[in-house]
Amino acid sequence: MFCCLRTVRRLCLDKILLQCVLQARTLSGADAINALRPFYFAVHPDFFGQHPKEREVNENSLKRLNGYLENLQKPGFRSLKPTQLTFYVRETEPNSSNVQESFSASGFRAVSFTLRTRDLLSTVLDILNSCSLSTEHIQSLNVNSQPHKEAKSTVNRPIKWDKTYYSFTGFKDPEEELEQAQRVETTLISWLDDNGASAVKKLKKSLPLRKELERLKFELCNELQLSDIRWQRSWGIAHRCSQLHSLARLVQQRPEVLKNVKGRTVVFTDRSGMSAAGHIMLGTMDVHHHWTKIFERLPNYYKLQKRLLFLEDRISELLGGIQVIYIEELQPLLTLEEYYETLNSFYNKLRDSRLPFHPRSLRGLQMILESDRYAPSLHEFGHFMIPTVCDPAALQWFIFAKAQEARENLKRKEEMMITEKELIDTSTEKFSLDRLYKEPSVSSAQMIDCCKRLLEESLPYLQGMHLCISHFYSVLQDGDLCIPWNWKN
């Protein structure tokens, strides 16, 4: 017994000494942010403004990463579950072999990695190495950029504490915790048990602002006779209220400049102008002076929109009656001017090629134009995705070969949309949800599968909540619960 106590005492002293050594080379929170600057520059959502899918993935992953970094800095925090993250990176350099990597349709590199580290320095290094970013600048922070290697050279063996140490002291064995976390997947019930109370607290706190947001939106839509007010990004309730207050002040100060907005949709986004879909875009970083100019230019935008619609009709005639559409959820955010140039270039190319399409032979079919593709394809929803640089002869052959499949996909899409709406309504009613919605990157098929499985469960935790179907678990700042569409139970 005495020998065992002496062994445990020695292990305790060893651990204290090791912690002192490690402490000398840990980063502060501010240092970590500075060290991650190249990473933030490579994945920042603002640089993906024209690519909504990639932008959304990066926004969500950054939220989870920030939560991981915050937990690392909490005093006495010992238990940390492995966190898998995916980012779209603007660089296209080759990546390390231990990181899953693929490319999106827009050409950005998708990098997936799992964080299992327990200190800021190791976490920063793992993130930078996973994204193939340099770690040389960390040396200027007066810390060792290779903590794992130095530990090996100092102790000359992997640190593995004797099990008696944990039994005697009551501390948790980090290796055992990590193994358990890797073996056991997060389940919906367990996650709701752990996070339900936090979500309820945040939701209650946000209720006054939510009511204020609804009031402001209703009053502005009614006063300006707007069709709708939307937000391109998932800003918090307080941020949205601030934007509506800003618009309301402009209405009071310059009511004459907003006389041409009747029937239109206003979208708060990253830049001002008119979108390809015909919506009025108000940049959230712009001042009233910039917004005023946009409202004054509306008559000119409307004229350009008529020319754009004419171009779409002309392209449709040249392609046998196929309808040219623009889908906000799937296509890059383009201004009206950018989209017009794309259409005009494609129209001139088609007109010169004189493709022999029979008039109205493709009526009922749909297509979208994309500038970041090189080969035509058919979407699961039935619309053709046509590159602006596509060879006319190859385009003709592809449309003829896929026309019947496209019609079947369009019919299936209509049926799927009806099923999806019915399941959303049924789920909302069964669980007494205040709101059930999905992120744009979640397909109808995924939403249908998710709702069907939810309806088989008894989930009293969801009563009165806002539930978002996503790709990960998270509690948003205003209390919305995010769960992955393929949740496990």
Side-chain angles (χ1 to χ4, degrees):
M1 179 66 182
F2 179 75
C3 182
C4 182
L5 288 173
R6 186 169 57 187
T7 302
V8 170
R9 185 179 178 185
R10 178 179 58 80
L11 291 171
C12 288
L13 289 172
D14 283 350
K15 185 173 184 182
I16 292 170
L17 287 171
L18 181 63
Q19 285 177 335
C20 291
V21 172
L22 290 175
Q23 184 65 30
R25 50 177 195 274
T26 55
L27 292 179
S28 67
D31 285 339
I33 292 174
N34 287 332
L36 285 173
R37 282 182 185 275
F39 165 75
Y40 288 130
F41 182 77
V43 304
H44 199 285
D46 286 349
F47 294 113
F48 294 81
Q50 295 188 352
H51 301 277
K53 176 189 172 184
E54 288 82 357
R55 177 184 192 125
E56 181 187 346
V57 169
N58 282 11
E59 279 184 341
N60 293 333
S61 292
L62 280 173
K63 289 176 185 177
R64 301 179 67 203
L65 173 60
N66 290 336
Y68 189 95
L69 295 174
E70 287 175 7
N71 286 333
L72 280 178
Q73 299 173 69
K74 289 181 180 177
F77 193 88
R78 298 196 195 101
S79 177
L80 203 62
K81 292 182 179 179
T83 300
Q84 184 172 10
L85 301 172
T86 297
F87 287 98
Y88 285 99
V89 183
R90 290 190 294 157
E91 287 83 1
T92 56
E93 298 175 7
N95 205 353
S96 56
S97 59
N98 63 331
V99 178
Q100 299 174 11
E101 177 184 283
S102 62
F103 287 85
S104 69
S106 55
F108 296 111
R109 181 163 56 91
V111 177
S112 296
F113 54 91
T114 301
L115 294 177
R116 298 186 176 92
T117 48
R118 291 176 172 273
D119 63 272
L120 279 176
L121 178 57
S122 299
T123 304
V124 168
L125 290 172
D126 278 2
I127 293 169
L128 295 175
N129 288 327
S130 296
C131 296
S132 300
L133 297 171
S134 173
T135 59
E136 293 179 2
H137 61 287
I138 294 181
Q139 295 176 359
S140 65
L141 300 175
N142 295 321
V143 294
N144 190 337
S145 62
Q146 295 179 323
H148 300 299
K149 291 183 179 179
E150 182 180 324
K152 288 183 180 179
S153 62
T154 304
V155 185
N156 201 26
R157 63 175 173 83
I159 301 299
K160 189 172 183 179
W161 301 105
D162 192 278
K163 298 296 181 183
T164 55
Y165 167 77
Y166 299 106
S167 301
F168 185 81
T169 61
F171 290 139
K172 293 181 179 179
D173 185 346
E175 285 190 359
E176 188 177 324
E177 282 186 299
L178 183 59
E179 289 173 4
Q180 289 177 352
Q182 290 172 330
R183 284 197 304 267
V184 181
E185 285 189 278
T186 301
T187 65
L188 178 62
I189 301 297
S190 66
W191 187 82
L192 289 174
D193 279 339
D194 293 340
N195 297 274
S198 169
V200 169
K201 184 178 179 180
K202 290 181 178 181
L203 181 62
K204 286 182 178 178
K205 187 177 179 181
S206 73
L207 288 178
L209 273 178
R210 289 181 186 272
K211 291 180 180 179
E212 175 73 358
L213 181 67
E214 289 179 7
R215 182 188 67 80
L216 287 168
K217 183 177 177 181
F218 175 79
E219 289 179 356
L220 283 169
C221 283
N222 192 45
E223 183 176 357
L224 301 175
Q225 296 182 290
L226 294 171
S227 175
D228 195 11
I229 297 177
R230 301 179 192 168
W231 286 264
Q232 182 206 0
R233 294 174 58 185
S234 53
W235 284 296
I237 303 298
H239 197 162
R240 297 186 182 200
C241 283
S242 175
Q243 291 159 0
L244 291 186
H245 277 298
S246 187
L247 179 58
R249 284 195 297 272
L250 180 61
V251 173
Q252 292 177 349
Q253 295 167 4
R254 299 290 305 277
E256 72 280 0
V257 302
L258 290 106
K259 59 184 179 182
N260 294 311
V261 300
K262 182 179 179 180
R264 293 284 167 170
T265 293
V266 168
V267 181
F268 288 97
T269 180
D270 294 321
R271 51 179 175 168
S272 297
M274 179 166 279
S275 73
H279 303 324
I280 301 168
M281 301 189 301
L282 299 181
T284 56
M285 301 300 291
D286 292 339
V287 294
H288 279 180
H289 175 69
H290 295 108
W291 288 5
T292 300
K293 282 188 175 181
I294 295 302
F295 288 122
E296 289 173 343
R297 291 178 192 157
L298 285 180
N300 292 330
Y301 280 126
Y302 296 157
K303 291 177 183 177
L304 180 60
Q305 190 177 29
K306 287 182 180 179
R307 291 165 57 194
L308 185 147
L309 294 173
F310 174 77
L311 266 182
E312 288 182 339
D313 290 340
R314 294 294 296 138
I315 292 172
S316 176
E317 290 176 10
L318 292 173
L319 292 178
I322 190 170
Q323 182 186 8
V324 182
I325 60 174
Y326 177 83
I327 306 176
E328 289 180 273
E329 295 81 7
L330 298 178
Q331 293 183 255
L333 178 65
L334 299 176
T335 64
L336 197 67
E337 298 94 330
E338 291 168 343
Y339 190 48
Y340 179 84
E341 289 300 320
T342 300
L343 286 172
N344 192 45
S345 174
F346 185 71
Y347 168 69
N348 291 331
K349 191 172 185 178
L350 276 183
R351 184 186 56 190
D352 295 339
S353 65
R354 300 182 181 276
L355 294 176
F357 280 99
H358 189 278
R360 292 182 289 185
S361 61
L362 299 176
R363 198 170 182 181
L365 297 181
Q366 298 174 339
M367 63 167 277
I368 64 174
L369 276 177
E370 297 196 335
S371 56
D372 52 6
R373 287 179 179 269
Y374 295 95
S377 59
L378 178 63
H379 194 272
E380 60 177 337
F381 280 171
H383 58 265
F384 289 98
M385 296 185 289
I386 308 300
T388 54
V389 296
C390 185
D391 176 66
L395 171 63
Q396 181 186 14
W397 176 88
F398 184 82
I399 291 178
F400 279 146
K402 297 287 185 177
Q404 184 56 38
E405 184 181 349
R407 294 187 190 279
E408 293 170 0
N409 286 4
L410 281 170
K411 184 179 179 181
R412 189 159 51 247
K413 173 194 171 183
E414 293 175 3
E415 296 170 352
M416 197 176 290
M417 297 294 282
I418 293 172
T419 302
E420 181 183 14
K421 186 180 184 307
E422 290 175 349
L423 286 170
I424 289 174
D425 292 342
T426 305
S427 301
T428 303
E429 183 178 353
K430 175 180 177 178
F431 301 115
S432 301
L433 288 163
D434 197 64
R435 185 187 178 202
L436 173 59
Y437 62 104
K438 67 173 184 177
E439 291 185 343
S441 58
V442 175
S443 69
S444 293
Q446 291 170 337
M447 187 67 173
I448 288 171
D449 177 69
C450 177
C451 289
K452 282 182 177 179
R453 292 187 298 114
L454 280 175
L455 289 169
E456 296 173 359
E457 304 293 330
S458 176
L459 301 169
Y461 323 82
L462 298 181
Q463 184 174 355
M465 300 302 292
H466 292 240
L467 182 63
C468 173
I469 307 305
S470 176
H471 296 278
F472 60 91
Y473 287 104
S474 178
V475 178
L476 301 184
Q477 65 187 75
D478 295 305
D480 292 42
L481 287 166
C482 290
I483 65 171
W485 67 270
N486 56 344
W487 54 269
K488 301 293 188 298
N489 212 0

